[in-house]
Amino acid sequence: MSTSAFVKSTFILTLATLLSKVLGSIFRIPLQNIAGDEVLGIYSIVYPVYMVALILSVAGIPTAISKLIAEARAEGNQLKIREIYMTASILALLFGLISFLLVQKFADSIANILGGPEVRYALIIVATTLLIAPYMAVYRGYFQGFEDMRPTGVSQVFEQFVRVILILVIAYYLVSIDATPEVISGGVMVGSVFGALASLIYLLIIYHRSPFKVKKSRKYTLTSFKTWSRKILKISIPIAIGSITMALLNFVDSVTIPIGLRQAGYPSQDIHYLFGLYSRGSTIVQIATVFASSIVLPLIPLMTKKMAERDFTGTRKIIEKTHYMTYLISWPATFGLLALTLPLNLGLFTNLEGSAVLAIIGFSSVFTSLVLLGTGILQGLNLANIGAYIIVFGVMLKTIFNVFFIQTFGIAGAAWATLLVYVILFITNSIYIKKHIRFTLFNTHTQKIIIASGLMGFFIGVPTYMIDFETWSRLQAILYLCVAIIAGVCLYFLQLFVYKEIDIKFLKQMIKNRKQN
């Protein structure tokens, strides 16, 4: 594959990842509107548990086999490619089956930890996806090893599209027949199972039509399995740990928030409702951090290549550029979320419950984005092990902070814990990155972005907090949001023009070139 074709393929994968993440985040808003905060709470408690099990069962296999297949192709060794493919398939099936059986066996115990038996149905049903997703991941990694990112990208979007449509249709139907929150939350998990199945079927069809299909050669042996499984796991396990940053921290929330609320004296029937209010903020943050999580995908191989070439200046420039791009988007989004918390909560989630929690978690979104970026940079610098240790450190902090803060501040304590942990993780990541590559984290450009974002947030936030939104309808709140967002965007970019952070001549040239093309 030519360089231009590879760049195009990578762009397609990044765009597909962006789209699938948007679909996977934004559907929680209509789900809450249809089924209520309790169902959203149960879903948000169970899904991180499933995601941790899924990521660990996949164990970074796609990245590992793509790397090993690329090396085998460079050597022209077709036998190695077949053995890598066979070993990865066996590992994926084993990991998926073991994870599924463990969740099924301990479903009752896990449900009690997660707040009560109401989550049991959802847990059991979503665990079925563990039988499908690891095998699906093998095919994604296989195509990536041949530098063809398109099957991965299309399958991601296809999976999310099927999943989201089924979740919302099932939720609407079960609510219409007055099903209990326990049954509704279990039913919507069916969408995850069929989404993964649809994606796997698509990948199988593409694989059997592909010129990259594995050709049979000599007999596959146990020795081959032992040899390649060690190589795959050596590469994949640190990557897997580094890939579960948000999932692992969300998993901590799923376990410790119910425990903290119970210890604080809240009755069991209120725990899932309160977690639903907390999940409103998590939903918004997932949408706000889509850019950061998408930019990491092409960042890792690009940085790995620069490091292999010992191009430290190029590596530094990449780190600084990606930080700048993240600042440019994340800081105004963060101040905008803080300023518009009340109309956002009313317009998207039907009422003003949990607005304080939404505001705190919303402000954490910039640090969440920077932590995701920092973890990706550490992986690109071949420091995945350090990234994994930092995440484990963050998990320990989140566990302690959740239990302590919830007993003091209630559900808002979990939000404060989230903000504090991501600030600490951002600082820790930055320290370790700077030890290996000296780069500028904050400069005059960064200061201008933060000042412009803060002033924008102030000017759209002051009138917002002077309005009594309790007397407003959802439609009024949404219309207000639209006007405030447009005003905020204009004010933000106007400041960037004044501060000379945006080159008007460059923009005019871009528009001129586009018209000529």
Side-chain angles (χ1 to χ4, degrees), residues 65-174:
I65 65 173
S66 66
K67 178 181 175 65
L68 293 171
I69 287 175
E71 291 174 355
R73 286 177 58 228
E75 297 172 5
N77 194 325
Q78 290 294 320
L79 176 60
K80 281 186 177 181
I81 293 176
R82 178 175 182 267
E83 290 181 341
I84 293 165
Y85 165 77
M86 293 292 293
T87 305
S89 299
I90 294 169
L91 286 174
L93 290 172
L94 286 174
F95 289 156
L97 181 61
I98 291 169
S99 299
F100 169 77
L101 293 175
L102 285 173
V103 173
Q104 295 293 320
K105 181 174 177 59
F106 297 104
D108 290 336
S109 300
I110 297 172
N112 289 331
I113 293 172
L114 301 180
E118 295 85 2
V119 307
R120 184 175 179 274
Y121 285 161
L123 191 64
I124 289 173
I125 292 172
V126 77
T128 308
T129 316
L130 296 170
L131 297 173
I132 304 167
Y135 193 52
M136 171 186 68
V138 170
Y139 285 98
R140 289 178 177 174
Y142 185 83
F143 282 112
Q144 290 170 32
F146 285 89
E147 299 178 340
D148 188 356
M149 311 294 177
R150 287 166 293 186
T152 296
V154 174
S155 68
Q156 285 177 344
V157 176
F158 191 38
E159 177 186 2
Q160 286 288 13
F161 184 78
V162 172
R163 173 174 167 263
V164 168
I165 292 296
L166 283 177
I167 283 175
L168 297 180
V169 169
I170 292 170
Y172 182 83
Y173 171 73
L174 291 176

Side-chain angles (χ1 to χ4, degrees), residues 291-439:
F291 173 78
S293 55
S294 298
I295 202 175
V296 165
L297 191 65
L299 174 66
I300 295 173
L302 180 60
M303 287 188 58
T304 301
K305 181 182 177 183
K306 291 289 184 183
M307 290 297 291
E309 296 170 352
R310 301 190 67 78
D311 182 2
F312 301 120
T313 301
T315 304
R316 176 180 57 79
K317 288 181 179 178
I318 292 170
I319 294 173
E320 291 178 348
K321 187 67 175 178
T322 51
H323 271 89
Y324 178 80
M325 292 168 64
T326 304
Y327 290 145
L328 196 65
I329 293 173
S330 298
W331 276 112
T334 294
F335 279 106
L337 287 174
L338 183 63
L340 300 174
T341 294
L342 293 175
L344 189 73
N345 202 9
L346 177 59
L348 297 184
F349 299 107
T350 74
N351 57 46
L352 298 174
E353 292 291 325
S355 292
V357 175
L358 181 60
I360 298 165
I361 297 180
F363 192 75
S364 73
S365 62
V366 63
F367 299 104
T368 306
S369 294
L370 290 169
V371 168
L372 290 171
L373 177 62
T375 302
I377 290 172
L378 287 171
Q379 291 179 10
L381 294 174
N382 296 319
L383 300 172
N385 287 332
I386 291 176
Y389 293 140
I390 293 172
I391 291 166
V392 172
F393 170 65
V395 167
M396 293 170 61
L397 285 180
K398 191 70 164 72
T399 302
I400 296 169
F401 290 169
N402 268 0
V403 175
F404 176 75
F405 288 169
I406 288 171
Q407 292 188 45
T408 307
F409 303 107
I411 193 64
W416 284 114
T418 297
L419 174 59
L420 184 57
V421 166
Y422 276 112
V423 169
I424 293 172
L425 289 181
F426 162 60
I427 294 170
T428 308
N429 277 344
S430 300
I431 290 171
Y432 275 96
I433 294 169
K434 278 197 166 190
K435 281 184 177 180
H436 293 83
I437 296 289
R438 302 298 299 179
F439 77 102

Side-chain angles (χ1 to χ4, degrees), residues 2 93 186 203 216 261 265 277 298 333 383 407 409 456 511:
S2 66
L93 290 172
L203 288 167
K216 291 185 178 180
L261 291 172
L277 296 181
L383 300 172
Q407 292 188 45
F409 303 107
M456 176 271 295
I511 294 170

Side-chain angles (χ1 to χ4, degrees), residues 178-307:
D178 293 324
T180 64
E182 180 180 3
V183 173
I184 297 171
S185 58
V188 298
M189 290 300 183
V190 172
S192 296
V193 179
F194 281 94
L197 184 60
S199 178
L200 175 60
I201 292 171
Y202 164 79
L203 288 167
L204 285 171
I205 293 171
I206 295 298
Y207 171 76
H208 285 289
R209 293 177 178 176
S210 169
F212 308 137
K213 184 179 178 181
V214 170
K215 296 177 177 63
K216 291 185 178 180
S217 52
R218 71 184 186 189
K219 187 177 180 181
Y220 181 75
T221 64
L222 180 61
T223 302
S224 297
F225 173 76
K226 290 179 179 178
T227 300
W228 286 108
S229 61
R230 282 196 295 268
K231 291 182 179 180
I232 290 172
L233 293 176
K234 184 178 179 180
I235 296 171
S236 64
I237 289 176
I239 292 173
I241 296 173
S243 300
I244 61 176
T245 307
M246 287 196 70
L248 202 56
L249 289 167
N250 290 337
F251 170 77
V252 171
D253 283 340
S254 296
V255 174
T256 57
I257 289 179
I259 292 173
L261 291 172
R262 196 179 293 118
Q263 290 179 347
Y266 289 92
S268 58
Q269 61 267 27
D270 290 345
I271 289 176
H272 296 134
Y273 172 75
L274 290 171
F275 199 97
L277 296 181
Y278 176 82
S279 300
R280 295 184 184 187
S282 302
T283 299
I284 297 300
V285 167
Q286 285 188 12
I287 297 170
T289 57
V290 160
F291 173 78
S293 55
S294 298
I295 202 175
V296 165
L297 191 65
L299 174 66
I300 295 173
L302 180 60
M303 287 188 58
T304 301
K305 181 182 177 183
K306 291 289 184 183
M307 290 297 291

